[in-house]
Structure formats: structure tokens, C-alpha cells
Amino acid sequence: MDNHTAEWIYLDINLIAAVLLITGQLTMNGIFIQPTGGFSIPLQGPITGGRRLVGKSNSKVSTFIVDSIDFIIVLLLIFGQISVRGTLISSGYFSIIVSGPIFGAPKTEVSEEAKKEFFEHLGVFFKGERS
């Protein structure tokens, strides 16, 4: 497989999250402060079993502010300043967690050894061989 396949998979996941934000299927749903000084943002919405965040009492101004924050997150995802870090699973819904250097968290890097091991196992899986 190509050397950059894992990086492309990360990019695809980030772009999918960006599309879900733009289409209203995800929205920012809070903030997690990390003990190391950075922070992460959970994304949640109808597609994850949660609700779309809107302004209090359906205020158009508050909803516009929420949508503006979502748009900023989209730009940060597209330009690689933040990335999808994982998920938080709760009863009835899950959240997609994003963070990155701009939020004080280290950049997600693909370990060469982990990448090699992953694709070796994947190759064995697709060939149907057992070790």
C-alpha cells in the first residue's frame, strides 16, 4: 500500500466530519479541558443520536453564533489545524471529539511502526490467512 494511505484516511475522516458540520448533522456540544493545558470539542447531532445545538428559546442570533462556531471548526478541520481524535460513547448517543495544535493539543501523527503493523494485519485479513 502507498506510504501515505494512513494520512489520507485521517484526512478523509476530517473531511467527513466537516461535511456533517456544514449539513447540520453535527454541531459543537461543549468543551473538554485537558489536564495538559489544551482543550477538545465534542461534536454531536442527529446522526450521533444527540440533538442539534440551537440558541436558547430558538433565538436566531444565538443560533447564528453556534453556526458560526461550527463553520470555524469546519475551516480548522479542512486546513488541518484540528483533527478528529476519537469518540465519547454515552447512553443513547456518542460524540466525535476534535482537537489539535491550535487548541493546545499535540498534532495527531501516524507512527511508522503502527502504520506498518496495521497494514500487515490488514493484508493478512484480506488474504484470509491465519498466523
Side-chain angles (χ1 to χ4, degrees):
M1 291 211 148
D2 182 37
N3 262 354
H4 300 288
T5 302
E7 288 86 355
W8 282 105
I9 291 170
Y10 272 132
L11 179 60
D12 288 346
I13 291 170
N14 292 337
L15 292 177
I16 290 168
V19 167
L20 291 173
L21 277 160
I22 288 289
T23 59
Q25 291 299 309
L26 290 176
T27 188
M28 179 182 142
N29 194 41
I31 190 166
F32 296 140
I33 306 295
Q34 300 169 349
T36 58
F39 65 94
S40 299
I41 297 177
L43 306 175
Q44 189 184 107
I47 200 164
T48 65
R51 294 183 304 190
R52 173 143 170 71
L53 187 64
V54 294
K56 188 174 182 178
S57 302
N58 287 325
S59 162
K60 292 184 188 283
V61 172
S62 298
T63 301
F64 176 77
I65 291 170
V66 169
D67 290 341
S68 298
I69 292 169
D70 288 345
F71 185 71
I72 291 168
I73 293 171
V74 166
L75 292 176
L76 293 173
L77 281 164
I78 289 171
F79 291 112
Q81 297 301 305
I82 61 174
S83 61
V84 173
R85 295 298 178 102
T87 58
L88 171 68
I89 300 173
S90 184
S91 101
Y93 70 92
F94 70 94
S95 297
I96 297 170
I97 311 302
V98 296
S99 192
I102 200 165
F103 295 160
K107 182 174 172 72
T108 301
E109 298 287 343
V110 179
S111 157
E112 289 300 319
E113 184 59 35
K115 181 169 53 172
K116 180 180 173 200
E117 186 176 314
F118 173 79
F119 285 114
E120 284 174 359
H121 290 322
L122 191 62
V124 169
F125 174 76
F126 282 129
K127 288 179 184 174
E129 299 174 8
R130 298 190 183 242
S131 27

